[in-house]
Amino acid sequence: MAKNTISIDVVISDGKDGLKKLTLDADALRKIMEQNVKVAQSFERKVIGFAATATSITAVNNAFSQLASTMQGLTSESEAFNKAMRGVNTMAEKDSAGFKQLKGEVADLAKEIPIARDQLADGLYLTISNGVPENNWIEFLNTSARSAVGGIADINKVVGVTATVIKNYGLEWSAAADIQDKIQLTAKNGVTSFEQLSQALPRVTGNAATLGVSIDELLGTFATLTGVSGNTAEVSTQLGAIFTALVKPSSEAAEMAAKMGIQFDAAAIKAAGGFQNFLTQLDSSVKSYAMATGSLEQEVYGKLFGSAEAIRALIPLQGELSDKFTANVANMVNSAGTMDAAYADMSSHGEAVNQMLRNQWATARRCRVRKIHQLQSQIHVVEGAPAVCPRIISEQ
């Protein structure tokens, strides 16, 4: 490091008043101080410039780190998807070419629907295991995936409840969209959700179909009673008690029905022309018998159904909610398009859009993660240089 020498001259002279005066020649001091100021300013500029360069390099490096992290995430997602699709093929039993095609169809579906690819694969697994014909696999999965988004429900539960309804009522698999519209409308008109209904409906669908309770009547009942006689699970328990009493009447119920002169068995609902008509006719018979014998209506219902759960559902349906029940059943006929509207709303928000973008990225050609790390290592800082630029070698 260079050394600077400061030279100061001292002059002693006689003044007019006869006193000695001492004078300091500070020119040299002033000059060196000015030089030091210039040196300091230059040093400051270099420090600031280096800091800016270092910041730029850090930003570039961070960007590569984030990209590498993203690519690792995509790799993990791809591994999960591949594993899920291998599981699907244990059911589909496709050869190499067939498996590749099926995998591509699910990946293409993921580009349009904001559900992770491995979850779509899980949905396809359940679709196949539920007995959906091969020519309906992708269509059924597509419809169920859209309903899962619109209904804010797990895709496996959507697939499960839809398949349950179709099989119990003997419908075509192409009826999936219609069923899901009705379930969504039930959630809209009642105090329930698609997710809750997907768990509750399988408990009662079998007996409902056996008794001749239509899908519209079954779902209209849920739309009417949820939030009144109980939550979704409780309503399913109440309906289950009603249906069980009719499928297998107790001896007490059979005796009471004989006294009333009514049909009370598995064929009663079909004979009445539907669940609504059955309830209307039953209520009329109960009122007439109670009035004739001096019995309480609740007592008569209790002997017929033998369950407090059944009574909790029957009383509102026969009383203050009878008009609402009728309206809810009638509305089911016009349920078409309900799920499309829900899907359009739910698929347009930020997270759904981000999921679709991730799905699209996952199927695009990607740089290898190892290459990203190589690019990171090619960012150099040249020691002692006043400015530093990153040197990046592009992938060939």
Side-chain angles (χ1 to χ4, degrees):
M1 180 176 178
K3 295 183 179 180
N4 292 310
T5 302
I6 301 175
S7 176
I8 302 175
D9 294 331
V10 179
V11 180
I12 301 175
S13 60
D14 293 330
K16 294 180 180 181
D17 53 4
L19 296 176
K20 300 293 185 180
K21 292 185 178 179
L22 185 145
T23 302
L24 299 179
D25 185 357
D27 287 342
L29 177 61
R30 183 174 60 256
K31 291 178 181 179
I32 196 60
M33 290 304 294
E34 290 175 351
Q35 181 181 358
N36 284 341
V37 169
K38 293 179 181 179
V39 170
Q41 290 174 340
S42 176
F43 178 73
E44 181 181 9
R45 287 194 296 270
K46 290 180 180 180
V47 168
I48 293 174
F50 177 79
T53 300
T55 301
S56 298
I57 293 172
T58 301
V60 172
N61 194 53
N62 287 342
F64 274 108
S65 296
Q66 291 173 4
L67 180 57
S69 177
T70 299
M71 299 309 293
Q72 286 174 336
L74 290 173
T75 299
S76 298
E77 188 274 345
S78 293
E79 291 174 353
F81 177 52
N82 290 334
K83 180 179 179 180
M85 285 303 301
R86 286 195 296 272
V88 168
N89 209 37
T90 63
M91 305 292 294
E93 298 182 333
K94 295 288 185 181
D95 59 18
S96 178
F99 174 68
K100 182 178 180 181
Q101 178 181 348
L102 186 61
K103 184 178 176 182
E105 289 175 331
V106 176
D108 287 341
L109 191 61
K111 296 177 184 178
E112 306 297 331
I113 297 178
I115 295 180
R117 296 190 305 166
D118 60 319
Q119 293 178 22
L120 286 173
D122 290 340
L124 180 57
Y125 179 96
L126 196 59
T127 295
I128 299 173
S129 68
N130 267 288
V132 178
E134 182 173 348
N135 62 337
N136 288 107
W137 285 353
I138 299 302
E139 179 186 357
F140 186 87
L141 179 63
N142 185 2
T143 301
S144 299
R146 290 170 61 88
S147 293
V149 174
I152 320 176
D154 179 83
I155 186 173
N156 289 341
K157 293 179 180 177
V158 174
V159 169
V161 69
T162 305
T164 296
V165 173
I166 287 176
K167 288 188 286 188
N168 276 296
Y169 279 93
L171 303 174
E172 297 293 331
W173 290 103
S174 58
D178 183 48
I179 292 169
Q180 291 161 6
D181 276 335
K182 293 179 186 296
I183 296 175
Q184 182 65 15
L185 183 60
T186 302
K188 182 178 179 180
N189 291 339
V191 186
T192 183
S193 67
F194 201 117
E195 180 93 5
Q196 293 169 344
L197 288 166
S198 69
Q199 299 177 52
L201 284 172
R203 303 173 189 169
V204 295
T205 303
N207 279 345
T210 298
L211 291 167
V213 180
S214 71
I215 298 174
D216 290 350
E217 289 175 324
L218 178 61
L219 290 172
T221 305
F222 274 96
T224 304
L225 292 177
T226 48
V228 178
S229 64
N231 58 32
T232 310
E234 291 168 337
V235 169
S236 70
T237 299
Q238 294 160 10
L239 290 177
I242 293 174
F243 298 156
T244 299
L246 287 163
V247 170
K248 189 177 181 181
S250 66
S251 57
E252 185 177 30
E255 181 181 351
M256 177 57 71
K259 290 179 180 179
M260 296 172 64
I262 63 171
Q263 183 178 3
F264 191 84
D265 54 25
I269 293 177
K270 292 181 180 179
F275 189 49
Q276 280 184 285
N277 289 338
F278 168 76
L279 291 180
T280 300
Q281 294 175 12
L282 178 63
D283 190 55
S284 177
S285 298
V286 169
K287 282 181 168 59
S288 296
Y289 182 81
M291 184 177 294
T293 61
S295 304
L296 294 175
E297 293 179 21
Q298 290 83 353
E299 181 182 352
V300 177
Y301 274 118
K303 290 182 178 180
L304 288 171
F305 291 94
S307 166
E309 286 81 6
I311 303 302
R312 290 194 190 96
L314 285 167
I315 298 302
L317 289 175
Q318 302 284 44
E320 68 275 10
L321 296 180
S322 60
D323 289 342
K324 182 179 180 181
F325 177 45
T326 300
N328 281 332
V329 174
N331 285 337
M332 289 296 159
V333 178
N334 302 314
S335 63
T338 303
M339 187 53 77
D340 285 341
Y343 176 78
D345 182 46
M346 294 305 301
S347 63
S348 61
H349 66 82
E351 177 55 33
V353 172
N354 287 340
Q355 181 63 61
M356 279 191 284
L357 289 175
R358 287 195 293 270
N359 292 345
Q360 292 165 8
W361 266 90
T363 57
R365 181 177 182 271
R366 304 186 304 273
C367 296
R368 293 186 294 274
V369 174
R370 178 172 57 84
K371 190 65 179 180
I372 298 300
H373 290 311
Q374 290 176 352
L375 294 178
Q376 278 186 285
S377 68
Q378 292 165 358
I379 300 174
H380 299 289
V381 177
V382 181
E383 183 177 3
V388 184
C389 294
R391 179 170 58 86
I392 303 174
I393 300 177
S394 300
E395 180 182 17
Q396 300 299 320

